[in-house]
């Protein structure tokens, strides 16, 4: 079973002879250092790099490449070596990118000699850094483990090696770059940006990120392809360039709300398209092709098939297929709207020409010209509507096949898959937080899938503005709906994580959420009852803030194993109801700190609040709202896609009235948590 690590996590190594596979979206330099118990490297003879690729127990590549395979034999490593650090750096002096934030997130996997993955890590969150310590193999009490480090250095290799107390770090860094420069002509290029015809994969990394950063995104750095304005029909299906996914695969979708932007790394310098591809599809051989579809008669479209996309697993294929449906619907709708706009502007131009001639303003000649302009307008609109209906019908048929095949993490609460629910053993790629649709294709719902682990907090907007049609004007009703939505999202997150790897805390200062919170409380899925009052709020915030501080200090000090005994290392979710009631200035600052720093160390925020209630804080809380992904308890059109910027209507994923599925799922989660060793 592969362990997908997040920053700071470790995993035991079951064997001594290993291979470390690196996949990046551009040629990178791979190296390794051999350090002592404190991680210090005592000389250049402890650094494996392209100019000196072989050390006892370690061998690295001799040149920069987009893909690397490093050989490691831990039994052959000298006894004085306690840490083997795997380094990645961008070559300098060439035409390639100068920082990791301009390329797809590198992916590193530790495998056996048979190719079976032991652990993997996607290096998200890099920006100005040009060198990074990706992984660390370390010896502890005679056993070896791997730790995901992800420590970047804007000063490049020189700063990285200096941080490991290597004498002559700057000179060695220059020597390494000189050796790389001599071999750049032989370096392996990044994978081709073109995919074969029919490839339905929609790369989604997330740096974020994650149809967020989401099923719907806002513009995030790259320039999305411009849709055709051909009135005859929708633009041809395009596949974005794949330079190397949180995407994403953020997101996929880490949807952007309002003006906030999903923090996805740009796939290429110079404003190229964003890479949303999943990083595990980038290493080694290409993923297996999608399943073959049954033969059809000439001229007939192929029948839809669930999993009709590339990917290493059925889960990834379905994820990419949903992503492809999302893009297809966005583009075909853009073509229809462009065609209607074209027809409208053409009719206005023709009518202006008629009215500009005094001789044709009145009489039969003018009337005939106006009728002809309207007829041409109606013909163009009818052609566009016919093309839209054809594409929507095909997507609808595909959705009817894909929806029943979705796993629990991607499925609606009314799906039969929940009746056979069992606590999973692995974290899924993404989780469903709702549905998206457009007015032109109201009968199609695209799942809003957000990549895991969450890279942004969630804001459940319980304000009156959250209601698209204005039907919900009672503030008490909208607050109740907001908390019920938060409970449904939290229950789903608890359900898709393995036992003991996700913990939920609740702060309800006024105690107004007793009824909506009942499923979480009565099932035993919470470690502690909801915190009440200002004192309870302060206690929970202080505890989580200290946890963030401890983990950050451990990571920065290179000693994640030095955390206090008994510290819960699982992912943490804090649900805050009725913010800012019960919050003083100190609590507000702690909440902002958790929203900014928490996601990087596994502490996430879910805020149920009406922004108007906190208007007294003025612009102080603006960064807080911008840092969160805004969702609503009722239908609202505040999310935008990354290609053409449509306003998509979002609907939350709620449990059907009267259904017992939420109670049954939470009871299984609680039973698994009780049996999990602490």
């Amino acid at each position: 079973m592969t362990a997908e690590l997040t920053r700071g996590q470790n995993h035991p190594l079951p064997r001594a002879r290993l291979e470390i596979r690196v996949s990046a979206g551009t040629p990178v330099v791979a190296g390794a250092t051999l350090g002592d118990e404190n991680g210090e490297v005592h000389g250049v003879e402890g650094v494996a790099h392209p100019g000196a690729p072989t050390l006892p127990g370690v061998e690295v590549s001799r040149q920069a490449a987009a893909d690397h395979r490093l050989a490691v034999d831990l039994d052959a490593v000298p006894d004085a070596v306690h840490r083997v650090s795997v380094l990645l750096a961008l070559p300098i002096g060439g035409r390639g990118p100068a920082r990791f934030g301009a390329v797809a997130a590198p992916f590193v996997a530790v495998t056996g000699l048979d190719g079976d993955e032991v652990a993997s890590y996607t290096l998200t969150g890099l920006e100005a850094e040009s060198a990074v310590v990706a992984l660390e193999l370390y010896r502890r009490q005679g056993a070896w483990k791997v730790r995901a480090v992800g420590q970047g250095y804007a000063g490049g290799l020189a700063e990285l090696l200096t941080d490991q107390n290597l004498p002559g770090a700057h000179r060695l860094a220059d020597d390494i770059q000189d050796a790389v420069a001599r071999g750049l002509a032989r370096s392996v290029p990044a994978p081709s940006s073109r995919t074969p015809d029919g490839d339905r994969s929609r790369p989604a990394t997330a740096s974020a990120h994650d149809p967020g950063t989401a099923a719907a995104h806002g513009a995030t750095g790259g320039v999305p392809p411009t849709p055709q304005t051909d009135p005859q029909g929708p633009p041809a299906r395009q596949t974005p360039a794949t330079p190397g996914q949180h995407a994403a695969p953020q997101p996929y979708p880490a949807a952007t709300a309002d003006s906030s932007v999903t923090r996805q790394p740009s796939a290429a310098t110079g404003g190229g398209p964003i890479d949303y591809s999943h990083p595990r599809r980038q290493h080694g051989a290409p993923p297996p092709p999608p399943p073959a579809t049954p033969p059809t008669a000439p001229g007939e479209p192929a029948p839809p098939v669930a999993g009709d996309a590339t990917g290493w697993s059925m889960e990834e294929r379905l994820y990419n297929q949903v992503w492809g449906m999302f893009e297809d619907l966005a583009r075909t709708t853009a073509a229809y709207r462009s065609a209607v706009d074209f027809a409208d502007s053409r009719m206005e131009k023709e009518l202006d020409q008629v009215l500009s001639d005094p001789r044709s303003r009145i009489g039969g000649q003018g009337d005939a010209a106006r009728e002809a302009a309207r007829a041409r307008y109606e013909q163009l609109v009818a052609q566009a509507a016919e093309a839209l209906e054809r594409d929507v019908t095909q997507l609808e048929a595909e959705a009817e096949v894909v929806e029943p095949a979705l796993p629990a993490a991607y499925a609606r609460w009314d799906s039969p898959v929940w009746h056979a629910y069992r606590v999973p053993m692995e974290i899924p790629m993404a989780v469903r937080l709702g549905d998206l649709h457009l007015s032109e294709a109201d009968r199609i719902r695209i799942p809003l899938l957000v990549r895991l682990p969450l890279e942004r907090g969630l804001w459940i907007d319980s304000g009156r503005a959250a209601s698209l049609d204005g039907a919900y004007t009672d503030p008490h009703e909208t607050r109740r709906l907001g908390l019920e939505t938060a409970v449904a999202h939290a229950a789903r997150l608890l359900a898709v994580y393995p036992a003991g790897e996700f913990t939920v805390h609740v702060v309800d200062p006024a105690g107004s959420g007793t009824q909506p919170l009942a499923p979480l409380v009565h099932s035993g899925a919470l470690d502690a009852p909801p915190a009440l009052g200002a004192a309870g709020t302060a206690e929970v915030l202080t505890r989580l803030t200290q946890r963030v501080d401890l983990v950050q200090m451990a990571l920065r000090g290179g000693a994640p194993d030095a955390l206090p005994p008994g510290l819960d290392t699982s992912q943490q979710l804090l649900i805050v109801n009725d913010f800012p009631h019960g919050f003083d200035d100190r609590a507000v600052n702690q909440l902002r700190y958790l929203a900014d720093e928490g996601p990087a160390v596994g502490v996430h925020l879910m805020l149920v609040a009406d922004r108007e209630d906190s208007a007294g804080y003025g612009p102080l809380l603006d960064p807080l709202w911008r840092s969160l992904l805004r969702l609503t308890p009722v239908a609202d059109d505040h999310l935008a896609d990354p290609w053409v910027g449509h306003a998509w209507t979002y609907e939350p994923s709620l449990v059907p009235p009267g259904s017992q599925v939420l109670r049954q799922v939470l009871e299984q989660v609680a039973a698994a948590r009780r049996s999990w060793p602490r």
Side-chain angles (χ1 to χ4, degrees), residues 69-271:
R69 293 193 178 190
L70 284 63
V72 177
D73 185 354
L74 297 174
D75 288 340
V77 171
D79 293 338
V81 173
H82 289 261
R83 296 189 188 182
V84 179
S85 300
V86 178
L87 322 176
L88 302 179
L90 294 170
I92 62 175
R95 293 180 296 176
R99 59 187 183 90
F100 277 109
V103 299
F107 175 78
V108 185
V110 179
T111 73
L113 298 183
D114 55 1
D116 289 341
E117 284 190 11
V118 177
S120 63
Y121 174 45
T122 303
L123 284 76
T124 58
L126 298 176
E127 291 295 340
E129 298 88 344
S130 59
V132 61
V133 178
L135 293 177
E136 183 179 75
L137 312 181
Y138 65 99
R139 195 198 313 253
R140 182 64 51 86
Q141 296 179 350
W144 286 90
K145 294 183 178 182
V146 58
R147 177 188 294 127
V149 180
Q151 178 62 56
Y153 297 85
L157 274 173
E159 182 182 356
L160 185 156
L161 296 173
T162 300
D163 193 46
Q164 296 188 357
N165 292 328
L166 174 69
H170 286 77
R171 173 180 293 181
L172 178 59
D174 292 340
D175 292 344
I176 294 174
Q177 293 291 358
D178 289 343
V180 172
R182 291 193 297 270
L184 272 179
R186 300 178 287 113
S187 64
V188 180
S192 171
S193 62
R194 297 186 179 272
T195 56
D197 292 341
D199 182 359
R200 285 292 305 272
S201 64
R202 296 294 188 273
T205 31
S207 121
H209 210 116
D210 120 274
T213 238
H217 312 253
T220 58
V223 179
T226 303
Q228 288 180 237
T229 56
D230 180 5
Q232 300 300 323
R237 179 177 297 169
Q238 302 177 17
T239 302
T242 307
Q245 179 210 33
H246 225 226
Q250 220 242 246
Y252 64 80
T256 55
D258 303 325
S259 61
S260 60
V261 174
T262 307
R263 286 169 276 183
Q264 300 274 14
S266 175
T269 56

Side-chain angles (χ1 to χ4, degrees), residues 66 93 176 178 269 281 286 291 299 310 334 339 363 392 504-505 540 597:
I176 294 174
D178 289 343
T269 56
R281 295 178 49 251
T310 58
V392 167
V504 176
H505 310 270
V540 173
E597 304 294 334

Side-chain angles (χ1 to χ4, degrees), residues 21-23 67-69 107 191 280-287 312:
R21 301 184 180 186
V22 178
S23 178
D67 295 291
H68 292 271
R69 293 193 178 190
F107 175 78
R280 293 191 64 184
R281 295 178 49 251
Q282 300 174 12
H283 68 283
W312 292 100

